[in-house]
Amino acid sequence: MSTEFIIGTIIGLIGIIPIIIQVVKWVKKPNLSDLMKKLVDNTLSTKTHRKVLQEMNVILLRAGKHISSKYINNFVLNKRGKEAVFMDLCLQNDWEPSEKLCEMFMNVDYPSLRKKYWDMKNSQQEREEPTADAVEKVESISALTKVKSVIYLSELLQERFPDCFNRLTSILRKHDVEYRLLKGTKDIWCRDYMPIQTESGKFIQFTYNPSYLKGKKEWEDSRSDVREVCKLNNIEAYFSDINIDGGNVLICDGRAILSDRIFSENPDYEKDVLISELSKLLECEIIIIPAQNNDYTGHADGMVRFVDRNTILGNNLATEYKYWREGMQKVITQYSLKYIDVPFFEHNDRKHPESAIGIYVNYLEVDDLIVAPVFGRDEDKLAIDIIQNAFPDKVIETINYNDVAQEGGLLNCTTWVVNNK
């Protein structure tokens, strides 16, 4: 082999190296679903988000679509998740969220988003119709948008606890809060078996098979069939095989609090994998707090509640067990949380060993209203004052809910709140 041939070959190889590099870069170039994850990453700056949209636009141009420059230049993520941003992209750029487009952006088809898209488009067309009753239609639509949330209650609550049901619904009517009754339920604790609504509006229906309902036929028989309940009440949800009760999920501004009971309820999952999967499903940073050993459900909503992203109300730490107090202190430090102590007390009742009487933080929060339990104790006034100070812009109503509380839950447990996104 001649020296000239070897030199020529080397020069030829050197010449194609830039081409190889460009091919490798193109192969590694992120697709739309990868870019979508970056677009809804709230740790990135708005400037970076807009650059991501520009990258998306290059890919979309090849598919015959484009993102308007006005949309890119004005884009701000705020608190939105993937579904909300994707829907916004479709509406603002006049794309139907077809099966192909959903899979390009979201890696899965979303028929519910398609329906929502056409509902919104049709509603917009109706508002633009220059008919004689146009003003009336606009006023009607405007009135509807003011209805932010709907409260759902099990039909069994009205049947089994009519006094508590009437007290609660009377308060809801007083404040013009819409409520509806759920069909097909087998117990009153609808928070636990109904889907979790993410901040983008998506419904995640987790598996409802809690360990505390196992061991007795009457307990097993009281477990609602979540698929049947969703079907009977026309609720479209994404179903997950992760076993979680809704009372153990608290969401606020990109964060979710759950107790470590989720690990024992999902033994087939590695802890890191479970947290990662929950973060994707709930579109939140996951914060794990210790469950209390004396609480058979292990639900977070019996221990703490969000005031805002960085502030929580919780049972008075000074009077809690040492293991729980120290565990919570670690969480508070790790996530830079402000913890506001709320009084609580244990109510010993032989007839009702699982009584929830004494837990003030298990209140109902809906829009600008909080309905909080009171128990006829000296602690009532202090607890309500603390809640009011934490939520100065909300109306606080109190309620005697003891008949329900004796059975092991309170207001958050017996209500399912749907936010109209």
Side-chain angles (χ1 to χ4, degrees):
M1 185 179 293
S2 68
T3 302
E4 290 83 359
F5 177 79
I6 294 172
I7 293 172
T9 301
I10 292 172
I11 292 172
L13 290 172
I14 292 172
I16 66 171
I17 285 174
I19 297 173
I20 295 172
I21 291 173
Q22 290 301 317
V23 169
V24 171
K25 284 183 176 180
W26 184 84
V27 170
K28 290 185 176 181
K29 194 169 184 178
N31 56 32
L32 285 173
S33 62
D34 292 331
L35 291 171
M36 194 68 184
K37 292 177 184 177
K38 290 182 66 176
L39 186 60
V40 297
D41 185 344
N42 57 21
T43 65
L44 301 178
S45 67
T46 296
K47 184 178 180 180
T48 301
H49 288 150
R50 291 173 182 173
K51 287 183 178 179
V52 171
L53 283 169
Q54 290 171 350
E55 291 182 62
M56 284 181 162
N57 205 26
V58 172
I59 298 173
L60 286 164
L61 286 170
R62 299 192 193 108
K65 297 186 181 295
H66 77 283
I67 306 173
S68 71
S69 57
K70 181 180 179 181
Y71 185 89
I72 294 173
N73 294 334
N74 293 329
F75 182 84
V76 178
L77 178 62
N78 292 324
K79 302 174 184 178
R80 296 178 295 173
K82 285 173 65 176
E83 284 77 11
V85 171
F86 177 56
M87 178 61 75
D88 189 46
L89 275 164
C90 291
L91 287 168
Q92 298 302 322
N93 294 283
D94 201 23
W95 310 332
E96 178 190 6
S98 63
E99 180 180 351
K100 180 180 178 181
L101 200 64
C102 287
E103 290 176 348
M104 288 171 67
F105 277 90
M106 313 293 285
N107 279 333
V108 66
D109 186 25
Y110 275 91
S112 59
L113 285 182
R114 202 148 44 246
K115 180 179 182 301
K116 185 176 180 180
Y117 170 85
W118 284 114
D119 287 345
M120 294 176 76
K121 290 286 286 185
N122 292 334
S123 177
Q124 183 181 9
Q125 289 175 359
E126 288 176 5
R127 289 197 298 269
E128 292 172 354
E129 288 178 356
T131 59
D133 61 344
V135 173
E136 183 180 346
K137 285 186 177 180
V138 170
E139 288 177 350
S140 175
I141 291 167
S142 176
L144 285 172
T145 60
K146 294 177 183 177
V147 182
K148 296 180 182 177
S149 303
V150 177
I151 301 293
Y152 284 83
L153 308 164
S154 168
E155 287 181 329
L156 297 176
L157 183 67
Q158 183 179 27
E159 176 185 326
R160 297 176 183 176
F161 300 93
D163 290 342
C164 288
F165 176 87
N166 290 334
R167 291 188 198 110
L168 176 57
T169 54
S170 177
I171 292 171
L172 297 179
R173 287 194 299 272
K174 175 183 174 181
H175 294 277
D176 296 320
V177 177
E178 183 180 357
Y179 68 89
R180 301 173 188 170
L181 301 184
L182 290 165
K183 302 174 183 178
T185 63
K186 293 185 179 180
D187 69 30
I188 63 173
W189 316 115
C190 58
R191 176 73 61 171
D192 293 337
Y193 48 75
M194 295 306 292
I196 306 298
Q197 187 179 23
T198 68
E199 291 182 319
S200 68
K202 179 173 62 176
F203 291 108
I204 308 297
Q205 179 63 72
F206 291 103
T207 297
Y208 181 60
N209 189 25
S211 57
Y212 57 81
L213 290 184
K214 297 177 181 178
K216 286 187 179 181
K217 185 177 185 303
E218 61 182 295
W219 297 346
E220 290 281 358
D221 290 345
S222 73
R223 181 165 63 89
S224 295
D225 182 334
V226 294
R227 290 185 180 272
E228 182 67 13
V229 173
C230 285
K231 181 180 178 181
L232 288 173
N233 295 280
N234 299 315
I235 296 164
E236 291 188 19
Y238 173 85
F239 286 83
S240 169
D241 66 351
I242 297 175
N243 185 25
I244 290 181
D245 305 348
N248 197 24
V249 182
L250 307 171
I251 294 178
C252 179
D253 196 9
R255 282 182 159 179
I257 291 177
L258 301 90
S259 86
D260 58 13
R261 179 65 64 87
I262 62 170
F263 300 131
S264 61
E265 295 282 14
N266 295 277
D268 293 336
Y269 275 88
E270 295 291 336
K271 290 183 178 181
D272 290 345
V273 173
L274 180 60
I275 291 174
S276 176
E277 183 65 19
L278 286 173
S279 181
K280 293 175 185 176
L281 289 171
L282 298 175
E283 303 164 4
C284 286
E285 175 186 25
I286 304 298
I287 299 174
I288 302 297
I289 65 173
Q292 293 186 333
N293 295 338
N294 60 340
D295 178 4
Y296 72 106
T297 67
H299 290 175
D301 68 355
M303 298 179 278
V304 298
R305 297 294 292 277
F306 273 114
V307 176
D308 57 42
R309 176 183 173 84
N310 299 309
T311 309
I312 55 176
L313 292 167
N315 296 334
N316 190 348
L317 283 177
T319 57
E320 281 286 7
Y321 292 103
K322 181 180 178 182
Y323 77 89
W324 196 78
R325 182 172 64 250
E326 291 180 348
M328 282 303 302
Q329 289 289 2
K330 290 179 181 178
V331 174
I332 291 165
T333 300
Q334 181 179 354
Y335 294 96
S336 301
L337 295 170
K338 178 182 178 183
Y339 190 98
I340 301 173
D341 288 305
V342 178
F344 82 102
F345 60 89
E346 293 186 7
H347 180 70
N348 296 317
D349 185 340
R350 291 182 180 179
K351 292 184 179 180
H352 304 93
E354 307 301 342
S355 173
I357 289 177
I359 303 175
Y360 293 96
V361 296
N362 196 277
Y363 50 75
L364 163 64
E365 182 179 4
V366 51
D367 300 333
D368 296 327
L369 173 67
I370 288 178
V371 185
V374 288
F375 309 106
R377 296 266 301 222
D378 293 339
E379 293 94 331
D380 288 355
K381 184 179 186 308
L382 176 58
I384 299 306
D385 286 346
I386 290 171
I387 294 172
Q388 182 69 83
N389 289 335
F391 297 98
D393 298 326
K394 292 182 182 286
V395 175
I396 311 295
E397 291 275 8
T398 60
I399 187 172
N400 176 343
Y401 216 58
N402 285 5
D403 289 349
V404 170
Q406 288 176 338
E407 302 303 316
L410 278 152
L411 289 141
N412 195 62
C413 304
T414 56
T415 55
W416 183 53
V417 181
V418 172
N419 297 307
N420 290 327
K421 299 291 182 179

